[in-house]
């Protein structure tokens, strides 16, 4: 069944923005509660009331601005921090000197930390350091002297905001790396699938045209030579190539992580499992003997067809390398947890190191058409070959993995 690679988006920053929205509302209520509890100690309570009215309207009106990095603009951050700083400095106007000397909180209280955290999530630790430094200066001006509790609170906000900003930067870098890795994996799997299909069809036809043209001679020989050149070029293409950076992975800079997923390109034409025996039956012939169980060997459509295609690729290798007169045997075993298909021939075998050499030359019959298919199914392909004693390919597909594929 054909599949295509798509992407869905997920951001690890989004929970931080949601938490910041809740923090701003809760700390607004906390600051108002502190003011109400100490109302009698304020010298000019009407100044505090006016400030809290503005702060309440601003907090609720700007909740959409702290819903994500895109909405949280530099202009909003500047205005938000300005309101926090003005509230700190207005405390000396609204509150009595005696109350301030006892260590009373500023008008915005811990609401100010929300403005600093917005800088941290939006721009990282450098933006957080800038905002927290301005808050520290405003607090020192408000108190008039570096009191112990003021210095403690300033350092706490400074360190916490910078730490959060640094964590956000690391998370963004990790998202970009993960997105690129997933994109490369998806592109590589698609390229391997295409390479298998090409190997099973186009490359084999080109190789046959080259061989037949050389035998016939004349104009057919020239046609065979051209087919041979195209075969080499196509093998080089399907066995290599770089994966370009797509627009999707570049979008991660905005805080989105890309997660590759597979979805069906079109519905499969089978309603239920397929009998592997029926798919392997066409391979049987005068020189290919098929031994199978008496009961159906049922697999989901996609794994069944991929396994049958891998068997076909193994038989193609037998004809190509063992000769037209070589005999082959296919043994199908239906085990409780897996299906095992063994393809054995009586050819001359494969010399040691020949498979690695063939893969380096772009001949990917074993690497992609056989091992690649089985790897995608969660199975394995083991090849045993002794020079002069033939070759045996054992293909294993676990039933548990296959049940999840359609």
């Amino acid at each position: 069944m054909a599949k295509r690679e798509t992407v869905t988006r997920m951001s690890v920053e989004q929970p931080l923005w949601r938490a910041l929205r809740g923090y701003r509302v809760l700390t607004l209520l906390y600051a108002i509660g502190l003011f109400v509890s100490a109302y009698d100690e304020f010298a000019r309570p009407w100044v505090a009331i006016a400030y809290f009215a503005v702060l309440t309207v601003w907090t609720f009106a700007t909740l959409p601005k702290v819903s994500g990095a895109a909405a949280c603009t530099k202009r909003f951050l500047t205005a938000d921090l300005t309101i926090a700083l003005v509230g700190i400095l207005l405390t000396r106007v609204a509150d009595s000197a005696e109350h301030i000397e006892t260590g009373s909180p500023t008008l915005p209280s811990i609401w100010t930390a929300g403005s600093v955290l917005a800088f941290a999530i939006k721009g990282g630790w450098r933006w957080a350091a800038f905002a927290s430094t301005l808050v520290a200066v405003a607090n020192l001006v408000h108190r008039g002297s570096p009191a112990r509790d003021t210095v403690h609170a300033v350092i706490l906000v400074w360190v916490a905001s910078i730490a959060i900003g640094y964590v956000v930067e690391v998370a963004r870098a990790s998202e970009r790396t993960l997105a690129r890795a997933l994109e490369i994996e998806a592109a590589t799997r698609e390229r391997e699938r295409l390479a298998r299909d090409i190997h099973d069809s186009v490359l084999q036809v080109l190789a046959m045209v080259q061989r037949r043209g050389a035998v016939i001679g004349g104009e057919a020989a020239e046609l065979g030579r051209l087919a041979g050149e195209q075969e080499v070029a196509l093998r080089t293409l399907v066995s290599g190539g770089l994966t370009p950076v797509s627009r999707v992975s570049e979008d991660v800079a905005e805080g989105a992580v890309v997660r590759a997923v597979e979805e069906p390109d079109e519905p499969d034409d089978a309603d239920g499992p397929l009998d592997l025996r029926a798919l392997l039956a066409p391979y049987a012939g005068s020189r290919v003997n098929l031994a199978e169980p008496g009961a159906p060997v049922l697999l989901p459509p996609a794994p069944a067809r991929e396994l049958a295609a891998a068997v076909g690729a193994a038989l193609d290798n037998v004809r190509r390398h063992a000769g037209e007169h070589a005999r082959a045997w296919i043994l199908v075993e239906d085990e409780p947890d897996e299906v095992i298909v063994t393809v054995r021939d009586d050819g001359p075998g494969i010399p040691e190191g020949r498979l690695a050499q063939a893969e380096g030359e772009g001949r990917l019959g074993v690497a992609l058409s056989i091992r690649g298919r089985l790897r995608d199914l969660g199975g394995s392909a083991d090849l045993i070959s002794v020079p002069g004693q033939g070759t045996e390919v054992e293909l294993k597909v676990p039933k548990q993995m296959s049940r999840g594929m359609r």
Side-chain angles (χ1 to χ4, degrees), residues 195-253:
R196 288 197 298 265
D197 294 341
I198 291 173
H199 177 273
D200 292 347
S201 56
V202 180
L203 291 179
Q204 293 180 14
V205 172
L206 290 175
M208 183 186 67
V209 171
Q210 181 186 21
R211 291 195 301 268
R212 297 291 295 172
V215 172
I216 297 174
E219 294 183 359
E222 176 64 15
L223 180 61
R225 183 186 67 80
L226 294 175
E229 292 176 357
Q230 293 302 312
E231 180 196 5
V232 172
L234 191 54
R235 286 186 187 277
T236 302
L237 178 64
V238 300
S239 62
L242 297 175
T243 305
V245 179
S246 76
R247 178 180 59 81
V248 174
S249 63
E250 291 171 350
D251 288 345
V252 180

Side-chain angles (χ1 to χ4, degrees), residues 226-376:
L226 294 175
E229 292 176 357
Q230 293 302 312
E231 180 196 5
V232 172
L234 191 54
R235 286 186 187 277
T236 302
L237 178 64
V238 300
S239 62
L242 297 175
T243 305
V245 179
S246 76
R247 178 180 59 81
V248 174
S249 63
E250 291 171 350
D251 288 345
V252 180
E254 295 298 326
V257 61
V258 183
R259 180 163 50 95
V261 297
E262 291 184 350
E263 65 179 15
D265 187 31
E266 56 186 19
D268 200 287
D269 56 0
D271 295 330
L274 296 180
D275 187 355
L276 182 62
R277 302 179 306 167
L279 297 178
L280 297 180
Y283 294 130
S286 59
R287 297 192 176 276
V288 178
N289 181 267
L290 175 61
E292 58 189 18
V297 181
L298 299 179
L299 285 174
R305 288 171 180 153
E306 287 291 279
L307 181 55
V311 172
L315 293 175
D316 288 336
N317 286 336
V318 172
R319 286 191 292 270
R320 212 167 28 244
H321 302 296
E324 295 291 337
H325 301 291
R327 294 185 59 82
W329 293 265
I330 304 174
L331 174 62
V332 181
E333 300 175 84
D334 189 8
E335 300 293 339
D337 299 327
E338 61 184 358
V339 173
I340 305 174
V341 180
T342 305
V343 180
R344 182 172 59 86
D345 65 69
D346 61 357
I350 302 175
E352 185 176 356
R354 177 54 185 154
L355 287 179
Q357 179 185 355
E359 187 171 347
E361 295 173 353
R363 300 181 179 278
L364 307 176
V366 174
L368 291 181
S369 289
I370 300 178
R371 286 178 178 159
R373 294 182 189 275
L374 272 295
R375 183 181 63 247
D376 290 348

